[in-house]
Amino acid sequence: MNIVSRRKALGAIGAIALGAAFPFTTAAESARMQSWPLKTARRTGIHDVAPASDSGVWFTAQASGHLGYFDPATGTTELIVLGRNSSPHGVIQGPDRAAWITDGGQQAIVRVGWPDRAIRVFALPQGTPYANLNTCAFDGDGDLWFTGQSGVVGKLSMKDGKISVWDAPRGRGPYGICGTPNGDVWWCSLAGSFIATVDRRTGQSTVVEPPTKNQGARRVWSDSHGRIWVSEWVSGNLSMYDPSSKKWRTYKVPGDSAQTYAVYVDDRDQVWVSEWTGNAVHRFDPASEKFQRFAFPRADTNIRQILGRPGEVWLPESGTEYITVIRAA
């Protein structure tokens, strides 16, 4: 999976009890959706989510400046202080089983060791303009690549802890990023409406144009074949680029005026997309080219990220302060 520092945890805010879970069963293949409200003392601004290296789930609390940890077995959450002015956006699990975070407020990559919760902050080079750090992914060499919406792509070298930053093609817009099974890195530009692959040696990116113009490519994810799936925010499409054949396929996500935000490919190569207008998550089967819709019992869930582990797809409800799992059949 795609996924470094500072002193001992600045003080994990103790476990906060959550309310009871609210499970219900959807009609789609008896997949079961279960949700919990994050009854924290303050609004977290839950943004991205990632399964932790134990049975829990991490999330970025963008509004409060924490790494959140949710334990589905006990229904409790813990908030871990990341540092002054923290405003975390993305989180993934690294090869070292730690949480790796893009922190726009601190202009840094933050590593939270697990389970010791030791924090280390890797600041962007001095003099780097505000990057508006977004998301990150590991490459096949074990280095961490990241995007900044202000117009940068960067790398944190695991060998020496050095961060390098490059100007992105066409400036503002770098958003989602992912690694592929063969270790390559792809990212997309929301403002630029394209996807790109990185030369891991030089840091330079090569743009690949989607067939739909001005589509607003927001997130990308690789399947087990290295094909790149793209959620197109403006067009409402789900698209796929195959680097081996250099061909595209485009699929219209069901619903009127669809806005597709997040995309994630699970361990069975099923593709999941969050759709804001219809307040739903869709599962797409590439073999049958059919969508299945999973609706929410709450309005305005605003799912900003999707990640999972085998049999589980985790969703952060940024609009409602809930966290949800779909246990797929």
Side-chain angles (χ1 to χ4, degrees), residues 263-286:
V263 63
Y264 166 69
V265 184
D266 68 18
D267 60 303
R268 298 189 302 162
D269 273 347
Q270 299 292 289
V271 185
W272 298 79
V273 290
S274 62
E275 197 283 290
W276 278 34
T277 305
N279 194 41
V281 169
H282 295 265
R283 175 170 56 186
F284 178 73
D285 180 5

Side-chain angles (χ1 to χ4, degrees), residues 62-299:
Q62 190 173 59
S64 63
H66 299 90
L67 173 67
Y69 174 75
F70 175 71
D71 183 351
T74 62
T76 58
T77 190
E78 174 187 356
L79 297 178
I80 300 165
V81 176
L82 296 177
R84 187 176 180 181
N85 298 322
S86 175
S87 180
H89 189 290
V91 59
I92 57 174
Q93 182 189 150
D96 57 356
R97 301 176 65 83
W100 292 80
I101 300 158
T102 43
D103 194 326
Q106 295 194 80
Q107 184 89 328
I109 303 298
V110 181
R111 177 189 186 271
V112 180
W114 211 260
D116 62 7
R117 292 158 173 75
I119 296 178
R120 192 176 174 194
V121 175
F122 294 81
L124 267 59
Q126 188 172 3
T128 302
Y130 177 62
N132 193 7
L133 291 173
N134 197 276
T135 46
C136 57
F138 281 92
D139 68 12
D141 300 318
D143 292 326
L144 184 75
W145 291 82
F146 57 87
T147 56
Q149 276 199 86
S150 296
V152 300
V153 176
K155 181 183 78 170
L156 171 58
S157 169
M158 294 297 110
K159 180 183 294 186
D160 55 15
K162 177 184 176 182
I163 288 185
S164 302
V165 178
W166 295 270
D167 290 336
R170 306 180 190 175
R172 187 174 64 89
Y175 207 93
I177 191 170
C178 72
T180 70
N182 67 358
D184 291 334
V185 172
W186 287 79
W187 59 273
C188 62
S189 175
L190 174 60
S193 289
F194 62 81
I195 67 172
T197 186
V198 175
D199 183 320
R200 289 183 278 160
R201 183 180 59 85
T202 67
Q204 298 305 302
S205 297
T206 300
V207 170
V208 176
E209 298 280 3
T212 304
K213 302 299 182 184
N214 303 316
Q215 80 297 124
R218 190 148 206 166
R219 301 258 184 169
V220 287
W221 206 265
S222 172
D223 64 19
S224 66
H225 305 286
R227 299 177 300 189
I228 308 303
W229 293 85
V230 188
S231 53
E232 300 178 357
W233 174 249
V234 177
S235 71
N237 293 334
L238 170 67
S239 63
M240 183 272 289
Y241 176 69
D242 187 342
S244 62
S245 66
K246 295 181 169 48
K247 292 182 178 179
W248 285 88
R249 295 294 301 272
T250 301
Y251 307 92
K252 188 65 178 179
V253 175
D256 296 329
S257 303
Q259 294 176 294
T260 51
Y261 194 114
V263 63
Y264 166 69
V265 184
D266 68 18
D267 60 303
R268 298 189 302 162
D269 273 347
Q270 299 292 289
V271 185
W272 298 79
V273 290
S274 62
E275 197 283 290
W276 278 34
T277 305
N279 194 41
V281 169
H282 295 265
R283 175 170 56 186
F284 178 73
D285 180 5
S288 66
E289 298 190 342
K290 292 182 178 180
F291 286 91
Q292 293 177 325
R293 183 175 185 268
F294 296 80
F296 292 89
R298 295 164 298 282

Side-chain angles (χ1 to χ4, degrees), residues 11-20 36-46 48-49 56-61 64 66-81 114 117 314 321-323:
I13 296 178
I16 304 170
L18 276 76
W36 299 261
L38 297 178
K39 290 188 175 180
T40 52
R42 58 185 293 190
R43 179 178 175 271
T44 69
I46 180 172
D48 280 15
V49 68
V57 182
W58 294 312
F59 63 89
T60 47
S64 63
H66 299 90
L67 173 67
Y69 174 75
F70 175 71
D71 183 351
T74 62
T76 58
T77 190
E78 174 187 356
L79 297 178
I80 300 165
V81 176
W114 211 260
R117 292 158 173 75
W314 285 90
E321 289 282 293
Y322 274 68
I323 190 167

